[in-house]
Amino acid sequence: RACFNMSFEGDAAAPVLPTEEVPPPPPSDAVTTMETDTVQPVPDPTPTPTPAPEAETEAAQAVVMKPEEVVEAAKVPAAAPQTLPASEEAYDPENATVDDDDDEDQDEDMGTVTSPVLRSSGPIKREEECSDKPLDVAIPAHLAAVPPLVQPLVPNVSAPSATPQYPGPDRYEARIAHDMYDTEAWASLLHDAHSHNIDHIREMYERFLWVFPTSARHWRAYIEVELARRNYNKVEALFVRCLRPVPNVDLWRTYVQYIRLVNGDVRDADLTPSQKDNIIKAFEFALEHVGMDISSAGIWTDYLTFVKTMRTSGSFEDSQKMMQTRKLYQRAIEIPMHGLEATWREYDAFENNLNKLLATELLKMWGPKYTKARVVYRERKVLMDGLSRTQLARPPRGSEKDEGQLAMWLKLLAFEKQNAQSIDPAVLRARITFTYNQILLHFYRDPEIWNEAAMYLHEHLNNPETATVFFERGLVALSSNPLIHFAYADYLEAAKKTQEAREIYERLLKNNSSALVFVQYMRFARRCEGVEGPRKVFKKARAADSCSYHVYVALAYMEYHVNKDPKVARNLFEAAVTKYPSNTDLMQHYLTFIEALNQENNTRVLYERFLAAAGDNPKWTLEVMNQFLAFEDTQSLDIQAILKLEKRKAQLFPDHDPLGVLGLVQRYKYLDLAPCTNVELESFARTSSRIHESQ
């Protein structure tokens, strides 16, 4: 309870439904659909028997109701499901569909309140609320303390158990075991879960949200499940986990409606000053996070309606209410959002009803700001037409649809950066940050966007604190991705934060101990720790199962070029060849290194050694022989040595006649210079082919 108690003392108990029970949504044959590139899934045709009432449900009622109420509830038949108007249907997780059409008219997109519980006829009461004692519930205290630009944080979702306690149908479980981002399989699993008990449903949502932690509609569906069962303590825990990381208007509007209800804001309720203050704080909290969204008009309208209908007593409170309404209108008409023209008309009427003379001056003052916002809204709406606000976040897969969506988001981002509305730098920074966060809702697993956001905030908006937060969030989203880790480590190293940069490499190694990670870690260590730094990392790499020849080669070249120590470098190459004796790429690097030492005898010995090691590998033998010949042509002063080596090649590869014309061309060419024209070379090749055929 402390999370939702502004006093943070946890005095309030879990809220209970006052009079009517709103049962969970009835089972449905429809399939919960998601953003996919193919057809929607078909549910398992095998009928699932309806489970008997679970003991957990009874236990949950006992927690939120007094003992005598539990007894009494057993005698009373369950209430009929609450029916909503057609335009205000509750969100049904089993029948939810994805609507990619964001072409809302400017006066229509006011958002929706989904929960039947949030539309109940009375306020949510708590166990010990035996009097008119006001509820002190508003913004989670530990969330409100976080600076606005250092959010949203990362979704609070723990990795599920490797063996689910309540697995779904085997065929869908097999599909997500093969591809955890198989959205069709997840849709079918979620659909199936709603035919089981609450524990099964919770586990399936937790598993799904671990894979897709930024899916606002599934967070809302999860919240709806708990709301329908009156598990308000779990509802609030879910809000704390998802609100900041998922800046979605519908999700935040659901939160505001919940806060209004727990503070008694229903119908003609007479709210206390504390309750009014809590609700206003909730509205402000929501506007701070999603108030600049093009679809945020619903929250602004709800806020204005709440303020305008607040009961007052006396001229002073009337004056305060009037000033509060005016300021709220003036803030709203600067937001390029759906319904902006309607909001301006309401503001016009509001001022003219108060004082026509003053209205003329105020409307003249605020008219240009509204006009700018309207122009920006129209441009923004064109850019956002076709954007899918429900696309699930998956790693880049080369999908034309995903790449098309990303291109559209980046166009919107470029438009926001132009500051067509001429807003002040602080507001511009918040708007650009908000746009990046909107993109990341759908491209959460894409390292490109995390890096782009962090670097733009650092270099163009001079905001290193928020840049750091984006990098940190990116590391959570992509815990094993080397790109975002390397970029963040370089960012910290450039800022002279070497210890923090070192920790990034160590964190990455816990999830990805590939050879490339060790190579980059060694390079970092050499820059920041001197000669011994990369050697310590190399020692750790040798003990890893993922170690490959690349680690040896990287350190060998580092010892040779940076530390000027060819002896150590050669020892590393020898150790690598001993460990990986059949790796031809390693041998190629070793030969290049030895040739650079300009030690002819040692180089010839190594060539002979590798020719012997090549054995029955004709491809590798031919590559080594050609490189050996090139070495002799460059280094040898004895023509007999060259001719002798060419004869060896002819014996090993009769089709590659070194004494024929093509062999001569190969011997006498240098870089891009050749002893014949291209036409002659093509003729030589055809002639050589006919000669070999005749033989």
Side-chain angles (χ1 to χ4, degrees):
R1 308 307 311 163
C3 292
F4 269 65
N5 193 320
M6 290 299 292
S7 63
F8 212 72
E9 295 181 5
D11 294 331
V16 299
L17 203 64
T19 54
E20 295 184 333
E21 176 182 353
V22 181
S28 170
D29 295 331
V31 179
T32 302
T33 59
M34 303 182 192
E35 186 75 14
T36 64
D37 298 327
T38 55
V39 296
Q40 61 184 11
V42 179
D44 191 337
T46 305
T48 303
T50 303
E54 297 294 329
E56 185 281 342
T57 304
E58 299 175 1
Q61 292 178 352
V63 171
V64 297
M65 302 175 67
K66 296 179 181 179
E68 59 270 20
E69 292 175 329
V70 176
V71 175
E72 189 64 21
K75 301 177 182 178
V76 180
Q82 184 170 349
T83 303
L84 300 180
S87 61
E88 298 177 346
E89 285 296 331
Y91 181 87
D92 184 354
E94 297 189 30
N95 295 316
T97 57
V98 176
D99 183 7
D100 289 338
D101 186 6
D102 287 326
D103 298 336
E104 301 93 343
D105 291 333
Q106 62 182 17
D107 293 333
E108 294 179 358
D109 186 29
M110 299 296 172
T112 56
V113 179
T114 62
S115 171
V117 178
L118 296 183
R119 291 184 176 275
S120 62
S121 59
I124 296 175
K125 297 180 182 292
R126 301 175 185 274
E127 285 185 358
E128 75 272 28
E129 189 187 2
C130 301
S131 64
D132 293 331
K133 175 184 175 182
L135 295 174
D136 191 16
V137 179
I139 305 169
H142 70 283
L143 288 181
V146 180
L149 291 180
V150 189
Q151 47 73 25
L153 305 178
V154 296
N156 182 8
V157 183
S158 301
S161 171
T163 305
Q165 186 176 358
Y166 303 99
D170 290 344
R171 56 174 172 167
Y172 300 123
E173 291 287 355
R175 285 174 60 175
I176 64 171
H178 173 70
D179 177 10
M180 65 187 297
Y181 297 100
D182 186 335
T183 54
E184 285 186 354
W186 278 115
S188 298
L189 287 171
L190 286 172
H191 174 270
D192 174 78
H194 279 275
S195 64
H196 297 280
N197 62 38
I198 184 61
D199 287 333
H200 189 134
I201 297 173
R202 284 173 184 156
E203 181 183 73
M204 195 59 68
Y205 271 108
E206 291 291 340
R207 291 174 59 196
F208 175 88
L209 290 169
W210 181 73
V211 180
F212 303 103
T214 56
S215 178
R217 59 202 173 96
H218 290 92
W219 280 107
R220 288 175 55 230
Y222 193 3
I223 290 170
E224 294 290 342
V225 167
E226 300 294 358
L227 276 171
R229 290 164 174 78
R230 302 178 298 176
N231 297 325
Y232 301 111
N233 58 329
K234 294 187 179 297
V235 168
E236 295 177 6
L238 288 173
F239 275 133
V240 171
R241 291 170 60 190
C242 71
L243 277 178
R244 279 186 181 267
V246 187
N248 174 270
V249 170
D250 288 335
L251 181 62
W252 276 87
R253 198 176 182 203
T254 301
Y255 160 75
V256 172
Q257 292 293 340
Y258 179 80
I259 294 300
R260 293 179 70 174
L261 280 179
V262 297
N263 281 276
D265 181 26
V266 291
R267 294 186 181 177
D268 298 325
D270 190 7
L271 303 179
T272 66
S274 176
Q275 290 172 327
K276 293 178 184 177
D277 184 59
N278 286 337
I279 294 170
I280 289 173
K281 286 180 179 178
F283 272 118
E284 290 293 337
F285 193 42
L287 291 179
E288 177 186 5
H289 289 79
V290 296
M292 61 187 72
D293 194 288
I294 196 172
S295 301
S296 63
I299 297 179
W300 287 100
T301 301
D302 289 348
Y303 194 1
L304 282 162
T305 302
F306 173 76
V307 172
K308 289 191 293 184
T309 57
M310 284 193 308
R311 296 182 181 181
T312 58
S313 58
S315 59
F316 177 76
E317 289 190 4
D318 288 341
S319 177
Q320 292 294 313
K321 174 180 172 180
M322 181 269 293
M323 293 298 296
Q324 190 173 3
T325 304
R326 173 178 289 151
K327 290 179 180 178
L328 194 54
Y329 269 122
Q330 291 170 352
R331 290 167 59 191
I333 61 176
E334 288 193 89
I335 304 298
M337 61 183 176
H338 301 307
L340 180 60
E341 292 184 5
T343 304
W344 173 256
R345 290 194 296 268
E346 290 179 13
Y347 177 51
D348 185 306
F350 168 78
E351 292 291 4
N352 277 287
N353 288 336
L354 291 175
N355 186 315
K356 292 186 179 297
L357 184 61
L358 179 60
T360 301
E361 295 298 323
L362 288 175
L363 295 175
K364 182 179 179 181
M365 178 188 305
W366 288 93
K369 297 181 180 180
Y370 156 71
T371 301
K372 279 188 176 181
R374 184 179 61 183
V375 171
V376 170
Y377 161 72
R378 290 174 177 174
E379 294 185 55
R380 179 191 280 185
K381 184 177 184 298
V382 170
L383 291 169
M384 296 189 71
D385 284 345
L387 274 179
S388 172
R389 305 293 294 272
T390 56
Q391 175 182 334
L392 294 174
R394 299 182 296 179
R397 297 190 171 195
S399 163
E400 290 185 7
K401 183 177 181 180
D402 290 351
E403 291 178 358
Q405 285 289 306
L406 180 56
M408 293 174 65
W409 276 111
L410 294 178
K411 286 182 180 179
L412 175 65
L413 180 64
F415 170 74
E416 298 292 0
K417 291 176 180 179
Q418 292 173 5
N419 193 13
Q421 200 173 344
S422 302
I423 54 182
D424 65 65
V427 178
L428 176 63
R429 182 174 66 225
R431 185 172 291 181
I432 293 175
T433 302
F434 177 78
T435 306
Y436 273 120
N437 283 321
Q438 290 297 302
I439 299 174
L440 287 167
L441 289 180
H442 313 292
F443 294 90
Y444 185 71
R445 307 293 187 184
D446 191 332
E448 175 188 5
I449 307 302
W450 289 109
N451 182 66
E452 150 75 16
M455 296 310 298
Y456 183 86
L457 289 167
H458 171 65
E459 295 178 358
H460 297 277
L461 299 184
N462 193 27
N463 195 347
E465 294 81 8
T466 309
T468 299
V469 170
F470 269 94
F471 270 127
E472 288 289 346
R473 291 171 57 205
L475 264 56
V476 175
L478 302 162
S479 60
S480 62
N481 183 278
L483 277 177
I484 190 65
H485 284 77
F486 296 159
Y488 187 23
D490 284 352
Y491 171 81
L492 292 172
E493 183 184 349
K496 307 299 182 183
K497 299 179 179 180
T498 55
Q499 179 57 36
E500 291 90 334
R502 183 182 301 103
E503 292 172 0
I504 299 302
Y505 286 105
E506 291 293 340
R507 286 167 60 180
L508 177 58
L509 284 173
K510 294 178 181 179
N511 300 293
N512 183 348
S513 59
S514 67
L516 180 60
V517 176
F518 282 113
V519 169
Q520 294 300 328
Y521 194 2
M522 288 193 300
R523 290 179 174 178
F524 160 79
R526 181 61 184 87
R527 292 193 299 267
C528 299
E529 301 175 11
V531 174
E532 292 301 322
R535 293 176 180 176
K536 293 178 181 178
V537 177
F538 175 75
K539 183 177 180 181
K540 182 183 296 187
R542 288 182 65 186
D545 294 336
S546 58
C547 185
S548 68
Y549 80 91
H550 305 82
V551 178
Y552 288 81
V553 172
L555 185 58
Y557 281 133
M558 202 178 299
E559 294 287 352
Y560 177 61
H561 293 293
V562 182
N563 299 343
K564 313 300 181 184
D565 194 336
K567 181 178 180 180
V568 173
R570 183 168 184 177
N571 290 342
L572 285 165
F573 273 115
E574 284 294 334
V577 170
T578 301
K579 188 172 183 179
Y580 310 100
S582 60
N583 191 293
T584 57
D585 292 329
L586 169 62
M587 296 178 184
Q588 185 70 44
H589 284 290
Y590 194 4
L591 287 170
T592 302
F593 166 74
I594 288 294
E595 287 184 14
L597 295 181
N598 202 25
Q599 299 176 356
E600 294 184 21
N601 291 335
N602 288 335
T603 305
R604 290 189 177 94
V605 169
L606 189 61
Y607 272 118
E608 294 292 351
R609 176 180 167 188
F610 285 169
L611 283 173
D616 297 331
N617 187 337
K619 181 180 178 181
W620 171 237
T621 302
L622 179 60
E623 291 180 6
V624 174
M625 185 63 75
N626 286 336
Q627 189 169 342
F628 196 179
L629 278 168
F631 168 77
E632 290 291 0
D633 282 338
T634 305
Q635 303 286 343
S636 179
L637 298 178
D638 185 358
I639 188 63
Q640 293 300 326
I642 298 174
L643 295 175
K644 182 179 179 181
L645 189 59
E646 287 181 339
K647 288 181 180 180
R648 287 179 59 187
K649 179 181 177 182
Q651 293 172 355
L652 292 172
F653 303 98
D655 292 342
H656 297 267
D657 183 8
L659 301 180
V661 66
L662 292 180
L664 295 176
V665 172
Q666 179 69 28
R667 183 199 302 179
Y668 300 134
K669 75 174 185 177
Y670 180 72
L671 299 179
D672 59 344
L673 303 176
C676 61
T677 66
N678 290 335
V679 174
E680 290 174 327
L681 183 60
E682 292 175 2
S683 176
F684 295 158
R686 289 192 295 269
T687 302
S688 178
S689 176
R690 287 193 292 268
I691 292 173
H692 286 301
E693 289 176 0
S694 66
Q695 292 175 347

